[in-house]
Amino acid sequence: MPSSFFSINPYTLEKVAEYPAITMTEANKKLELAHGAQVHWATLSFEDRAVCFRRLAQYLRTHQQDLAVLLSTEMGKILAESRAEIEKCAGHCDYFAQAAEGLLQPDVISTDASDSRVIYEPVGVVLAIMPWNFPFWQVFRYGAPALMAGNVTLLKHAPNVFGCALAIEKAFLASGFPEGVFQTLISDVDIIAPILQDDRIAMVTLTGSERAGAAVAQIAGTNIKKVVLELGGSDPFLVCADADLDLAAAAAVQSRMMNAGQVCIAAKRFLVDQSIKTEFVERVKMGIEKLVQGDPFDPNTNLGPLARLDLAQQLETQLQQALKQGAVLISGGKRQDCNFQATLLDAVTPDSIVFQQETFGPLAPIVGVKNLEEAVCLANQSRYGLSAAIWT
């Protein structure tokens, strides 16, 4: 286990912070604190919990700029997108503060018994293993509903955004949440197995790679723990012959290039009717070539760097393999450190690496199809789910 972790600015590759790793003894103390806190937290009314979440929403809005700067510094997201992410988290807190009680009311069902109902109760301590691409939103996405339901959580965030993880913990404490309701673990994956095997952990949620998901699922299954996994996507974007090409192309650029292409539910495979493919490719090419890549803090920038150097190198490897497999480079394709140009590929075939694998970065592969039926058939030739779009 590393003795400490470094936060590296992906745009400059400069070290911005160092975070000492916790020991297993310290992790056990956090788990004990969480277990005790959950017993108390679960006894509070929905309104008592909602008061904390409303304060948390206000805290996020009050500190939006500072939190956005931290987010952009650690993972390279352009500042406007970072501000939007913080606001989205605040709105999420407001929503569940208002809606949780109604969502979790018992469901009365009809059976041959005199009274039958489904009752929702907290499970206990939730271990969360979260990714770096939306360092705040991924945490609040699970955290707000889980905590409003009476659970508490231990967060194991991605090591390159530990600063964000600690900032979120600080926000919870500053908003009046009892100590132990939300804690972060500054640790590598070594700590996950023993923590997850502990009886005080009731369930685990992970957003990340298939490899990580398989490892966590195995431990959770062996120990009979509830588990929720979200393991990426390779979402199809179908464009029919009668589509509004200006609208479809603009949406394609936005969906693929937002957050430098590091979005699980982004469009990643573009299946386009052959009769309009040339026009569609030209429109997408014009759109991506208008993007300004550079410093995330420059207001003119709308395409930041990838979050880590190894991620940029991995995308470059996928691109080179796709070109060897016959794809045609229409635009982009160059990398400088973590900065990867918005890239458009045509003549991609279903056996191409960029069709078969998820590409997590600003790379758009175009596949020509004869009709909608073929497009649907190819769209379904993937192990990945999450989302899809049809333009017609």
Side-chain angles (χ1 to χ4, degrees):
M1 183 183 295
S3 59
S4 60
F5 299 90
F6 297 100
S7 176
I8 306 294
N9 182 324
Y11 181 67
T12 64
L13 297 184
E14 295 175 346
K15 184 176 74 173
V16 295
E18 181 177 357
Y19 302 103
I22 63 171
T23 64
M24 195 64 223
T25 299
E26 291 169 323
N28 276 316
K29 288 181 180 178
K30 287 177 177 286
L31 180 51
E32 182 62 28
L33 179 61
H35 187 252
Q38 196 275 325
V39 174
H40 166 68
W41 181 249
T43 66
L44 299 183
S45 67
F46 281 106
E47 180 54 33
D48 286 341
R49 295 179 210 144
V51 168
C52 292
F53 270 101
R54 292 189 192 103
R55 286 197 296 252
L56 180 55
Q58 183 57 48
Y59 178 97
L60 293 172
R61 293 186 174 109
T62 300
H63 296 84
Q64 182 186 38
Q65 179 65 13
D66 290 342
L67 296 174
V69 167
L70 171 63
L71 199 165
S72 292
T73 300
E74 282 208 310
M75 65 78 55
K77 194 189 304 286
I78 63 172
L79 191 59
E81 290 181 351
S82 294
R83 291 196 193 100
E85 182 171 336
I86 302 303
E87 174 55 36
K88 186 176 184 179
C89 294
H92 200 60
C93 291
D94 282 335
Y95 172 77
F96 280 101
Q98 179 273 325
E101 183 172 10
L103 292 170
L104 296 177
Q105 286 300 302
D107 294 329
V108 178
I109 58 176
S110 177
T111 71
D112 57 2
S114 60
D115 180 33
S116 298
R117 62 189 64 209
V118 177
I119 297 174
Y120 300 95
E121 296 181 346
V123 295
V125 182
V126 178
L127 173 64
I129 305 162
M130 291 291 109
W132 44 263
N133 59 331
F134 289 88
F136 279 76
W137 170 244
Q138 294 282 10
V139 175
F140 280 86
R141 185 181 69 160
Y142 89 86
L147 270 61
M148 273 302 299
N151 305 291
V152 306
T153 189
L154 289 173
L155 168 67
K156 163 59 183 77
H157 219 324
N160 59 319
V161 291
F162 276 152
C164 291
L166 291 171
I168 296 170
E169 181 176 335
K170 178 181 177 181
F172 273 86
L173 289 171
S175 302
F177 285 79
E179 188 178 10
V181 169
F182 182 100
Q183 298 177 85
T184 190
L185 303 171
I186 304 298
S187 171
D188 208 348
V189 293
D190 309 63
I191 211 168
I192 297 303
I195 287 288
L196 185 49
Q197 290 165 0
D198 194 290
D199 288 342
R200 292 168 293 183
I201 291 290
M203 72 169 292
V204 58
T205 177
L206 176 143
T207 298
S209 68
E210 291 180 80
R211 179 181 176 184
V216 166
Q218 183 177 26
I219 300 170
T222 300
N223 292 274
I224 319 298
K225 303 289 180 74
K226 295 178 183 295
V227 59
V228 175
L229 304 174
E230 193 261 273
L231 306 178
S234 187
D235 300 358
F237 187 104
L238 284 60
V239 186
C240 300
D242 63 347
D244 180 330
L245 292 187
D246 290 333
L247 188 63
V253 173
Q254 181 184 31
S255 178
R256 180 72 285 233
M257 301 301 163
M258 185 181 75
N259 199 29
Q262 301 166 119
V263 182
C264 298
I265 59 169
K268 297 193 177 82
R269 294 177 295 144
F270 296 85
L271 306 168
V272 185
D273 192 286
Q274 288 283 10
S275 65
I276 48 90
K277 184 167 74 71
T278 299
E279 298 171 74
F280 180 78
V281 168
E282 184 59 33
R283 282 168 169 80
V284 174
K285 179 177 182 289
M286 290 173 58
I288 67 173
E289 289 182 351
K290 290 178 182 177
L291 298 176
V292 178
Q293 186 171 39
D295 186 346
F297 293 99
D298 185 334
N300 295 313
T301 297
N302 45 30
L303 184 67
L306 297 189
R308 297 195 314 259
L309 185 58
D310 63 303
L311 300 169
Q313 292 168 335
Q314 178 181 330
L315 186 64
E316 185 176 44
T317 298
Q318 290 175 307
L319 170 60
Q320 295 304 319
Q321 180 64 27
L323 294 174
K324 290 178 182 178
Q325 293 172 320
V328 176
L329 182 64
I330 301 298
S331 186
K334 295 181 180 178
R335 178 183 70 84
Q336 177 63 43
D337 296 328
C338 294
N339 298 287
F340 202 105
Q341 283 184 329
T343 299
L344 179 62
L345 294 179
D346 196 3
V348 173
T349 57
D351 60 351
S352 172
I353 188 172
V354 295
F355 189 95
Q356 294 295 326
Q357 295 182 5
E358 180 176 26
T359 53
F360 218 60
L363 187 153
I366 307 290
V367 180
V369 296
K370 295 189 295 291
N371 49 42
L372 178 59
E373 288 72 24
E374 183 185 13
V376 171
C377 181
L378 290 177
N380 287 326
Q381 289 182 23
S382 173
R383 301 176 64 235
Y384 295 97
L386 291 187
S387 74
I390 301 177
W391 293 83
T392 182

